[in-house]
Amino acid sequence: MCSIGAYVLLVPLVMQQSAVIALHTSLKVKCYVGEMGVDFWAKDRWLDEFRENQVLVMTAQIFCDILLHGYLEASRVNLLIFDECHNAKGNHPYRQIMKALDLVPFELRPRVLGLTASVINNKCNVEKITHQIEGLEKVLGCCAETVSDLVQVSRYGAKPKECIVYFSTHYGAYSDGIDGIISYLDENTTFLQEAQLQIKETEDKDSIREPLVIPKTVLMETSYILQHLGAWCADKVALLFIRDLEKLMCRYGYIERNKMFLQFTLTVLRAVRKLCYDICLKRLSSHDADGPSLLEFTTPKVKRLVEVLLQYKPAADEVERGAGLPVVKLSRRERENSSALCGIVFVEHRTTALILNAFVKELKARETAFSFLKTDYVVGHGCRSNNNDSVMVHRQQADIIKRFRDFDSNILFATSVIEEGIDIPHCNLVMRFDPPKEYRSYVQSRGRARKNEARYVLLISEEDRDKFREDLTNYKEIEEVLLDRCRDRSSPDEEDLDTYADDLLPPYMPVKEDGRARVTMSSAISLVNRYCARLPSDAFTHLTPLWKLCKLEDGQFQCSLRLPINSPIKYRIEGEIMPRKKLAKMAAALKTCEILHKAGELDSHLLPVGKEAMKWELEEDSLYEEVPDGAPRPGTTKRRQHYYKQVANSLKGCYPTPEKPCFLYIISMELSRPITEEQNTRGREIYHPEETSQCFGLLTAAELPQLPVFPVYTRSGEVSISVDLVVAHLTLTEKQRDTLSFFHYFTFSSVLRLDKTPMVYDRATENTANYIIVPLDFGRSIPDRSREVRSD
């Protein structure tokens, strides 16, 4: 029996929550993340996990997949814990999990506990709060409740002193020069935005990626850093982007358009660095005590940030008492009761966190007044950032947060990644370098200031003073409504549960029972993509379905889907008519999943039946081999497995001999089935090989057996290949034979570049295929070819 299930949103939270539950309970706890390969676990493996553990902590998508594939009867779960439950909206896995409980009798459904610091997940008027709370209650089948004991609130809740610090947007002595650089960046960004229309009209669509996305993002981020952080920081971020773009040049520079726009962006960034230096940075000599302060080359916003940090500078006598004494490791309780600085600065952009951290480190190196600061930065682990240094993997992120918990750093520059969920020490300072955009962000970041007499500081420009005051008043009103609304609530009845978007079309369930597999509109697209990925293909081919959306006269949409050519489902599948494009794609995918299951392409758990899996089932008994612990596994680089390479007998020992008869065969190619316009999604030109007078031939000393016509599939479509005898008794001089042999070698070694170490071109060995590939020119197209070959 699975006693408790805890399902959380972010991967770092899985590790954290499982450790906390194991520490404070006697239950057997285990955590699960995608890196463990759980997506490929079979039902038996999951059943073992359910039997051996009482608490399973995992991401929401993993548990959603378990239910959808019928690996677990939901009635076996006693308790579901949804962390950060305010995310249960749209097609989030939380909603799909709740929908999967529909076949469970109401009295047998698991208890649901949703945890969140704010049930409001976006910008919301006070009048709409009740509606949003009721919607969340219906989705989770719960009632929203908050603590009613004010003593408990004061004990565990965060009540920091809120301070608003205003700053000017005037740069001072360098204002005109900075404004000129910003205008220069804006002009070049506008040029790239206008160039996008011209790019879309070109016929060449072989570019690996859209060549304008990265240049525009880089210039906009550089402009943002210059406006909000100043010239020194802009110089550093420009240098950072230059290094990244130079790496991209090595990777994508062979595409002319990519190369052109990357070079354009590099030129602009180098010009920005030169302008920053000429206008102000040339006065800044490295570590010169008599020179200007680094603060002169930054913005009023950063200066106000530094002023707040200086307020936490230890007194001189405290520094003297601590000098020369050994470092003593304090307990967490002692650290949290200490008055030493422990603060977080929240920023909006990843690059801002990285550059602010670099700026304070440089300031600390130049001026002893800042020596008490020990800074670090933490950002999300997303994949869309253009700066590789600002994208963190889970382990690196965890290491930084651990150093902050251990007080090895006392200031952490962070994005919203640590606003919710992640356990960090009680801070006595939390700053919003950029103002919060919605109530959730406001209350989550404020909740990090948990120490007694902590401060929550918001940096606001003079221009935005009135607007932010309105937002702050709105946040306070929302807070009062939530405290009043979410007290002493009763649980909703069965009939009050949410009518979910998946009810537009019923899920496809081969067997309609609790614990059986199902596919819904929300999960259908991912299942279709997973099926296509399991179809046989080589390492260079990524098979995907072909979607076609049609807008109907009444404004609704219908989507049709065609599976890859090697799927047994050859016809186009049309979905139900839907009011939106995304819903139309979901409907077509749901219909496709039903057809695939009935055709035997999906198994009883609605998982793809791939040829790899079938082959393993057939060969498992005969090929299974136990590998001792520590021993190399078969097929790895430490234990290679070899196979015999064989050559057809008719191709062995067939190297032509001078002045002796040999046989010349022509390799004829004809485009028998060109791809349709539908399939030619990139608009490539269709190539007809039969329309050229030049082709390749085989020169061999032995006559080949007759070969049937066979197909080869190219970008242009299906090409029929035939190998026909052209000249039965052809004699060559030694010089002619050697010239043709050199052409053969050059083609494979220098053109196709297949000559790899330790390969050797061996034309004399009897057991190798030593025919010669030769060029042929008939002087006319293939259909009109005669049997006369031009010998020149």
Side-chain angles (χ1 to χ4, degrees), residues 554-782:
D554 58 358
Q556 298 195 90
F557 297 90
Q558 186 175 31
C559 180
S560 59
L561 181 153
R562 186 183 291 274
L563 294 169
I565 192 170
N566 52 354
S567 169
I569 310 300
K570 304 294 185 183
Y571 55 89
R572 182 174 294 280
I573 302 168
E574 292 189 349
E576 299 290 334
I577 297 173
M578 289 287 157
R580 297 200 304 271
K581 292 181 181 179
K582 187 174 182 180
L583 292 174
K585 287 186 69 175
M586 290 179 177
L590 183 61
K591 182 69 174 177
T592 302
C593 292
E594 179 181 353
I595 293 172
L596 287 172
H597 178 258
K598 292 178 178 178
E601 293 293 294
L602 301 179
D603 63 17
S604 59
H605 296 292
L606 295 179
L607 289 171
V609 180
K611 288 191 175 181
E612 299 86 353
M614 293 174 62
K615 183 179 179 181
W616 172 251
E617 289 175 5
L618 293 172
E619 300 178 353
E620 184 174 7
D621 295 334
S622 58
L623 296 181
Y624 181 72
E625 174 186 349
E626 280 197 28
V627 180
D629 292 339
R633 297 181 62 84
T636 61
T637 55
K638 294 183 179 179
R639 182 182 167 186
R640 298 183 183 275
Q641 290 185 320
H642 301 276
Y643 64 94
Y644 289 103
K645 180 180 178 181
Q646 296 185 347
V647 178
N649 292 331
S650 57
L651 296 177
K652 293 180 180 179
C654 60
Y655 189 66
T657 303
E659 308 300 340
K660 288 188 177 181
C662 54
F663 299 85
L664 178 63
Y665 292 85
I666 182 174
I667 304 173
S668 300
M669 298 184 290
E670 183 178 357
L671 184 62
S672 54
R673 293 184 182 178
I675 59 173
T676 63
E677 291 184 7
E678 258 183 356
Q679 295 170 319
N680 191 12
T681 55
R682 297 192 174 184
R684 292 191 176 98
E685 182 180 353
I686 303 299
Y687 174 67
H688 293 266
E690 69 273 11
E691 294 179 358
T692 178
S693 62
Q694 298 174 335
C695 59
F696 290 100
L698 284 174
L699 188 63
T700 173
E703 188 174 1
L704 300 179
Q706 189 172 359
L707 298 175
V709 177
F710 58 91
V712 169
Y713 297 93
T714 69
R715 288 181 173 182
S716 298
E718 181 181 321
V719 177
S720 297
I721 308 294
S722 62
V723 180
D724 302 312
L725 182 64
V726 178
V727 181
H729 298 283
L730 178 67
T731 55
L732 300 173
T733 64
E734 184 175 2
K735 182 179 180 181
Q736 289 176 325
R737 194 273 312 269
D738 291 344
T739 301
L740 291 174
S741 182
F742 177 76
F743 171 84
H744 175 104
Y745 174 75
F746 182 82
T747 300
F748 285 93
S749 62
S750 300
V751 179
L752 299 178
R753 298 183 180 180
L754 297 177
D755 186 9
K756 306 292 182 183
T757 306
M759 293 174 61
V760 177
Y761 178 48
D762 185 3
R763 60 190 182 188
T765 304
E766 289 293 323
N767 291 325
T768 60
N770 42 24
Y771 55 84
I772 301 176
I773 297 292
V774 298
L776 300 180
D777 186 354
F778 284 80
R780 56 183 67 83
S781 62
I782 286 179

Side-chain angles (χ1 to χ4, degrees), residues 60-164:
Q61 187 60 57
I62 293 175
F63 185 60
C64 183
D65 291 341
I66 290 172
L67 294 180
L68 292 178
H69 295 314
Y71 292 161
L72 174 69
E73 296 175 6
S75 57
R76 291 185 58 192
V77 181
N78 297 103
L79 174 65
L80 285 174
I81 302 176
F82 292 130
D83 203 0
E84 309 300 343
C85 65
H86 56 265
N87 292 287
K89 61 179 185 177
N91 292 318
H92 193 274
Y94 283 169
R95 296 194 70 167
Q96 296 185 50
I97 291 170
M98 293 305 301
K99 183 60 182 176
L101 306 180
D102 57 355
L103 292 180
V104 183
F106 191 70
E107 64 277 5
L108 296 179
R109 292 186 183 183
R111 297 289 183 93
V112 177
L113 173 62
L115 303 174
T116 180
S118 170
V119 296
I120 307 299
N121 196 27
N122 50 23
K123 205 158 188 176
C124 175
N125 295 327
V126 178
E127 297 80 12
K128 298 181 179 179
I129 294 177
T130 300
H131 177 71
Q132 290 208 14
I133 294 174
E134 291 175 351
L136 191 60
E137 288 177 331
K138 290 181 178 180
V139 169
L140 298 178
C142 303
C143 64
E145 182 69 66
T146 188
V147 64
S148 57
D149 186 351
L150 295 180
V151 175
Q152 297 294 325
V153 173
S154 62
R155 182 178 178 184
Y156 297 106
K159 283 291 181 182
K161 180 182 178 182
E162 294 190 24
C163 307
I164 302 177

Side-chain angles (χ1 to χ4, degrees), residues 336-548:
E336 291 181 350
N337 292 330
S338 170
S339 60
L341 172 63
C342 178
I344 302 175
V345 180
F346 283 104
V347 299
E348 187 176 341
H349 299 275
R350 294 183 180 128
T351 310
T352 306
L354 187 154
I355 297 299
L356 272 178
N357 179 58
F359 174 80
V360 175
K361 285 183 182 294
E362 180 70 15
L363 190 65
K364 176 183 175 180
R366 290 174 175 270
E367 302 183 30
T368 56
F370 301 96
S371 59
F372 69 99
L373 295 175
K374 296 177 289 182
T375 65
D376 216 328
Y377 77 99
V378 60
V379 298
H381 44 74
C383 57
R384 294 185 179 183
S385 174
N386 300 311
N387 175 18
N388 293 330
D389 292 337
S390 66
V391 181
M392 293 184 171
V393 296
H394 299 300
R395 291 181 182 176
Q396 184 183 1
Q397 188 185 89
D399 289 343
I400 291 172
I401 294 174
K402 183 179 184 301
R403 290 199 297 269
F404 187 60
R405 287 197 194 109
D406 296 339
F407 283 73
D408 292 332
S409 58
N410 55 13
I411 284 292
L412 195 63
F413 296 100
T415 56
S416 59
V417 68
I418 62 169
E419 278 186 356
E420 54 185 55
I422 297 178
D423 180 35
I424 58 173
H426 292 184
C427 300
N428 56 4
L429 173 66
V430 172
M431 293 185 67
R432 294 285 323 194
F433 188 77
D434 299 304
K437 289 188 174 182
E438 70 278 325
Y439 172 74
R440 182 201 58 79
S441 182
Y442 164 75
V443 74
Q444 293 276 27
S445 58
R446 187 187 63 178
R448 294 305 184 183
R450 299 175 184 173
K451 272 190 178 180
N452 293 331
E453 300 181 358
R455 296 168 66 198
Y456 181 60
V457 180
L458 300 111
L459 292 177
I460 307 298
S461 69
E462 294 283 359
E463 296 175 355
D464 297 332
R465 179 192 292 259
D466 294 337
K467 180 181 179 299
F468 182 74
R469 281 181 174 175
E470 292 178 7
D471 290 341
L472 193 59
T473 302
N474 179 254
Y475 297 157
K476 299 296 183 184
E477 291 175 354
I478 290 175
E479 195 166 38
E480 292 178 5
V481 171
L482 290 176
L483 286 172
D484 181 65
R485 178 78 171 75
C486 300
R487 281 189 190 149
D488 303 324
R489 304 293 309 288
S490 59
S491 299
D493 297 327
E494 183 174 4
E495 58 268 17
D496 293 332
L497 299 182
D498 181 43
T499 300
Y500 184 49
D502 275 339
D503 287 337
L504 290 171
L505 287 177
Y508 173 67
M509 295 185 67
V511 181
K512 295 187 177 182
E513 294 177 2
D514 177 27
R516 295 305 184 100
R518 68 170 68 194
V519 57
T520 65
M521 282 185 63
S522 301
S523 62
I525 293 179
S526 61
L527 181 55
V528 171
N529 289 332
R530 185 171 180 176
Y531 167 75
C532 293
R534 289 295 300 273
L535 291 172
S537 64
D538 57 35
F540 307 100
T541 304
H542 301 284
L543 298 175
T544 57
L546 180 64
W547 307 85
K548 184 176 181 181

Side-chain angles (χ1 to χ4, degrees), residues 255-269:
I255 301 174
E256 186 60 32
R257 286 188 318 179
N258 286 6
K259 179 180 179 181
M260 177 176 61
F261 285 108
L262 289 174
Q263 286 179 334
F264 170 83
T265 310
L266 284 167
T267 301
V268 173
L269 291 175

Side-chain angles (χ1 to χ4, degrees), residues 158-191:
K159 283 291 181 182
K161 180 182 178 182
E162 294 190 24
C163 307
I164 302 177
V165 176
Y166 296 102
F167 61 89
S168 170
T169 55
H170 184 70
Y171 296 95
Y174 306 107
S175 182
D176 292 339
I178 296 297
D179 289 341
I181 301 175
I182 293 173
S183 298
Y184 173 72
L185 284 167
D186 291 344
E187 289 172 3
N188 286 285
T189 304
T190 303
F191 166 76

